[in-house]
Amino acid sequence: MQMEADKFSWFQIPEDIKKLLILAAENWENTLESEKYMNQALAQTGEYTDVLVAAYRYFFYKNNYQMALQTATKVIDRIKEAENFPAQWEQLKPILASRKDDYEIRLYLNAYAASGLVLAKLGEIEKAKEISARVKEIDDKNEFGAGILYDILTRTKEEE
């Protein structure tokens, strides 16, 4: 089996981590094996947010919602710290709204919306509603999917 890490040249992470992610993908059917590679990549992540995003997706599609939530939260926390975001939503909302086309802000909103989806999967419906409502306030084009999640979570029995 030949490593083709160079085919992911757009993925700006060290080659050893890239190889671990490729091994996790190649061993997808063997969850224990693929998860071992994913956890090794996470252990070496350092400042590489792209690895956290890949890990979130991996764990989400493997139905490991606790780990998906942990990795989405790490993305959120990293961006929050790097951008020096305020803790209060009412102060944060205008910042996110005015910069929602910036890469880091889009990544933040994607991760925040994803955390809402995972919380819903975990049965934390009220938290999921709060997050999806917040993202929906900013997301006039429904690019982050939070509006759909919010509509599903707030649907009445008559609407089903």
Side-chain angles (χ1 to χ4, degrees):
M1 184 180 329
Q2 181 176 352
M3 287 292 159
E4 295 185 40
D6 57 324
K7 73 180 177 182
F8 297 105
S9 60
W10 52 269
F11 209 56
Q12 299 301 313
I13 59 173
E15 289 301 313
D16 57 334
I17 296 175
K18 199 179 291 186
K19 288 177 184 177
L20 289 168
L21 294 176
I22 291 168
L23 284 168
E26 288 175 349
N27 289 280
W28 178 263
E29 297 301 320
N30 181 345
T31 299
L32 288 175
E33 189 73 11
S34 67
E35 196 168 295
K36 175 183 77 171
Y37 293 122
M38 184 56 68
N39 285 325
Q40 287 175 0
L42 280 172
Q44 298 177 36
T45 296
E47 76 276 6
Y48 303 107
T49 304
D50 287 340
V51 177
L52 291 173
V53 172
Y56 161 78
R57 291 177 179 153
Y58 169 86
F59 289 120
F60 180 83
Y61 289 112
K62 282 292 192 177
N63 300 315
N64 186 340
Y65 300 124
Q66 287 294 338
M67 285 299 294
L69 183 59
Q70 281 181 16
T71 53
T73 301
K74 283 182 184 179
V75 172
I76 293 164
D77 290 345
R78 281 197 180 172
I79 295 169
K80 192 184 297 185
E81 183 179 326
E83 296 288 331
N84 199 26
F85 284 159
Q88 298 301 316
W89 175 252
E90 291 308 316
Q91 294 172 332
L92 178 58
K93 180 181 164 185
I95 295 168
L96 297 175
S98 69
R99 294 181 52 206
K100 68 182 170 193
D101 291 328
D102 294 0
Y103 174 78
E104 289 294 315
I105 304 305
R106 293 184 67 77
L107 185 56
Y108 178 89
L109 289 168
N110 270 310
Y112 194 47
S115 72
L117 175 60
V118 174
L119 285 166
K121 292 265 192 191
L122 291 170
E124 302 273 350
I125 303 303
E126 291 308 311
K127 288 181 186 176
K129 280 185 200 176
E130 179 183 353
I131 290 169
S132 59
R134 286 177 173 181
V135 176
K136 183 179 176 178
E137 290 176 32
I138 294 169
D139 187 14
D140 55 341
K141 297 178 186 171
N142 199 26
E143 295 177 283
F144 305 105
I148 295 167
L149 178 62
Y150 182 79
D151 292 346
I152 291 168
L153 294 174
T154 58
R155 187 175 294 154
T156 64
K157 294 234 184 256
E158 294 81 39
E159 294 174 314
E160 291 179 357

